[in-house]
């Protein structure tokens, strides 16, 4: 069970802070506990049973975040060999639903590589890349203790220092 104040990844909503664990006023079952979650990038409050099947995990540690960033240059792109929008969408959706930062980096690098090759990205590529960056930057920001908006610059500086 997660603790109050802990940051977690909740489904594809991204990073949320656990505000409370208990029984909200609206709950019909008196013995069922709920998490009260506040998304880091959002204004809504989420109430979810602690035993919900929706994916939840703690945010990665600072050490894991730094190791992931250091490994970014070696992450290979992973584009499906199909030209079908449905297959590409399913491939990207699987990466988002893996809830794995490495998969998000791979999706982002795949879209960037497509952009370098054709200089035109489909709306599908743009939408999934944007969502992958939101999820990745949100989690890395919490892990590193910096605002999500500063994560791209942090990554650039870190990778640039490695290559110097």
């Amino acid at each position: 069970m997660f603790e109050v104040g802990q940051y977690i990844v909740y489904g594809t909503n991204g990073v949320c802070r656990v505000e409370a664990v208990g029984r909200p006023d609206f709950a019909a079952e008196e013995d069922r506990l709920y998490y009260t979650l506040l998304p880091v990038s959002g204004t809504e409050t989420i109430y979810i049973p602690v035993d919900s099947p929706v994916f939840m995990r703690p945010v990665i540690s600072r050490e894991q975040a730094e190791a992931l960033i250091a490994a970014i240059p070696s992450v290979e792109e992973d584009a499906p060999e199909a030209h079908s929008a449905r297959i590409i969408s399913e491939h990207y959706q699987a990466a988002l639903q893996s809830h794995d930062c490495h998969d998000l980096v791979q999706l982002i690098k795949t879209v960037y590589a497509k952009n370098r090759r054709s200089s035109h990205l489909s709306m599908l590529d743009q939408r999934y890349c944007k969502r992958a960056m939101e999820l990745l930057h949100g989690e890395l920001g919490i892990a590193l203790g910096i605002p999500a908006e500063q994560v791209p610059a942090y990554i650039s500086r870190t990778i640039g220092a490695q290559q110097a």
Side-chain angles (χ1 to χ4, degrees):
M1 195 149 99
F2 302 112
E3 296 181 15
V4 172
Q6 187 173 6
Y7 287 96
I8 65 169
V9 173
Y10 171 66
T12 54
N13 287 53
V15 177
C16 296
R17 184 174 189 276
V18 178
E19 286 297 306
V21 179
R23 188 174 124 352
D25 295 335
F26 65 82
E29 299 174 41
E30 288 189 24
D31 61 340
R32 193 164 195 195
L33 293 177
Y34 284 73
Y35 290 120
T36 302
L37 305 177
L38 290 180
V40 171
S41 60
T43 57
E44 73 279 3
T45 299
I46 299 169
Y47 298 94
I48 186 77
V50 296
D51 59 352
S52 170
V54 175
F55 181 87
M56 291 181 265
R57 70 164 169 77
V59 167
I60 61 174
S61 68
R62 179 177 191 91
E63 294 75 25
Q64 291 169 314
E66 290 172 347
L68 176 73
I69 292 168
I72 286 175
S74 64
V75 173
E76 298 288 325
E77 62 185 76
D78 180 38
E81 294 301 319
H83 296 288
S84 160
R86 182 185 59 77
I87 292 172
I88 292 169
S89 178
E90 288 172 359
H91 183 77
Y92 288 164
Q93 190 63 33
L96 293 180
Q97 290 180 344
S98 74
H99 311 288
D100 182 89
C101 292
H102 179 273
D103 291 348
L104 297 176
V105 169
Q106 192 170 48
L107 188 158
I108 294 163
K109 285 188 77 169
T110 297
V111 172
Y112 273 66
K114 282 174 105 174
N115 190 40
R116 278 194 307 275
R117 287 192 300 270
S118 70
S119 74
H120 173 72
L121 285 177
S122 70
M123 290 299 292
L124 180 81
D125 289 322
Q126 291 175 37
R127 184 178 67 230
Y128 278 102
C129 186
K130 180 180 184 216
R131 186 65 187 137
M133 287 192 293
E134 289 168 350
L135 293 170
L136 181 66
H137 295 166
E139 185 164 5
L140 290 177
I142 294 296
L144 298 168
I146 61 175
E149 302 80 40
Q150 293 179 12
V151 169
Y154 182 93
I155 291 171
S156 295
R157 281 193 311 274
T158 303
I159 290 174
Q162 285 177 343
Q163 296 174 346

